[in-house]
Amino acid sequence: MSIAQLLVVEDEIAIRDMLVMALEQAGFGVQCAENAQQAQMLLDDMPPDLIVLDWMLPGLSGMEWAKRLRRDERYRAIPIILVTARGEEEDKVRGLETGADDYVTKPFSPRELVARAKAVLRRVGKPIGDARIMLGGILLDMEQHRVIIDNQPLPLSPTEYRMLEFFMTHPDKVYSRSQLLDQVWGRTTYIDERTVDVHIRRLRKTLADFARENLVQTVRGFGYRFSESA
Ligand code: CA
């Protein structure tokens, strides 16, 4: 399997270095640029499989550059993960409307970005170096749709698998029941939010056999979170 090539565009050196290191450790090939002009040159040279793009760049903003790429038939198909410092819902919507495939909000952990990059690449059917994520002693294999704990495959229903995959690719963040419905069941389904609780209970029960149920945490008044920290 070939290694997926990523292009990181970020003007802050500390963040750029952190991203390059984490992505290389995860088995990706990484090139980086500090602004859109530099990124464009690298792109013309060798189009990457995925672009990790900072929204706020000096000169042409990441947002504007993403728009240009989406109008360019040579680059239209390259998935983009937008990195934004602003967490407002309106910005996220604008970012996704621009044609970004996903976004992460600063501050984020390198592990979160690696997980999102793998998920986006898998979704668009691009080669990925390693479609596995290890978190909290749980191994998620997104290529084989399997979850393994202590060398044992976990007996999960398709819904519980999708829920765990979503949690493991979006760790440490709280999601409401309606967000989980959107992400795990899809926006077109109309089911009761209590269904989420039912599946959370089932998932916890399965994880409890391996003493891992504490990874799926209830955040009172908000929803649920998957995290290694209590
Ligand atoms: Ca920036």
Side-chain angles (χ1 to χ4, degrees):
M1 189 191 284
S2 63
I3 296 169
Q5 298 294 322
L6 269 58
L7 173 59
V8 173
V9 192
E10 165 67 74
D11 59 310
E12 283 165 77
I13 297 169
I15 298 179
R16 195 169 65 228
D17 288 352
M18 184 255 303
L19 290 179
V20 170
M21 202 161 78
L23 291 167
E24 281 180 344
Q25 267 173 11
F28 295 115
V30 187
Q31 281 196 300
C32 56
E34 56 186 64
N35 55 47
Q37 290 77 0
Q38 219 178 64
Q40 186 71 50
M41 283 195 293
L42 289 171
L43 195 70
D44 294 335
D45 225 31
M46 189 190 75
D49 297 302
L50 171 73
I51 299 171
V52 177
L53 178 61
D54 186 26
W55 182 313
M56 301 298 281
L57 291 169
L60 192 66
S61 76
M63 178 93 168
E64 285 302 319
W65 191 54
K67 274 189 202 160
R68 285 192 194 182
L69 292 182
R70 285 298 172 258
R71 286 196 298 261
D72 190 327
E73 63 179 28
R74 290 170 300 169
Y75 305 129
R76 186 173 292 159
I78 302 174
I80 297 172
I81 296 179
L82 210 53
V83 178
T84 166
R86 312 186 294 182
E88 288 97 29
E89 197 62 32
E90 196 186 321
D91 289 337
K92 291 173 185 173
V93 172
R94 271 177 65 209
L96 293 175
E97 275 172 2
T98 303
D101 296 81
D102 203 352
Y103 56 84
V104 288
T105 308
K106 291 177 185 173
F108 58 88
S109 68
R111 201 167 55 187
E112 181 186 356
L113 182 74
V114 167
R116 303 286 269 282
K118 287 179 178 180
V120 168
L121 283 167
R122 191 179 48 86
R123 210 157 60 212
V124 299
K126 288 274 182 179
I128 24 181
D130 184 357
R132 292 173 302 176
I133 294 171
M134 184 77 172
L135 197 58
I138 301 178
L139 178 70
L140 171 76
D141 187 332
M142 295 186 284
E143 209 157 57
Q144 300 194 11
H145 291 255
R146 282 201 313 171
V147 178
I148 292 164
I149 301 182
D150 302 337
N151 293 317
Q152 293 185 58
L154 225 59
L156 293 173
S157 73
T159 303
E160 275 124 49
Y161 171 83
R162 283 200 304 276
M163 186 177 256
L164 190 56
E165 183 186 289
F166 177 75
F167 276 139
M168 289 183 72
T169 52
H170 299 74
D172 301 322
K173 295 213 164 130
V174 184
Y175 292 92
S176 67
R177 288 169 180 80
S178 89
Q179 284 173 320
L180 287 170
L181 274 181
D182 279 355
Q183 297 290 337
V184 178
W185 279 266
R187 271 163 221 273
T188 49
T189 48
Y190 295 95
I191 30 178
D192 198 287
E193 291 191 359
R194 276 171 296 188
T195 308
V196 175
D197 302 328
V198 172
H199 285 273
I200 289 275
R201 266 203 301 279
R202 285 191 195 149
L203 182 58
R204 276 199 185 125
K205 197 157 173 274
T206 308
L207 292 175
D209 293 340
F210 300 87
R212 300 292 203 301
E213 71 276 19
N214 293 339
L215 291 165
V216 179
Q217 301 165 0
T218 303
V219 181
R220 263 176 225 299
F222 292 99
Y224 297 102
R225 165 177 67 198
F226 184 92
S227 182
E228 281 179 291
S229 43

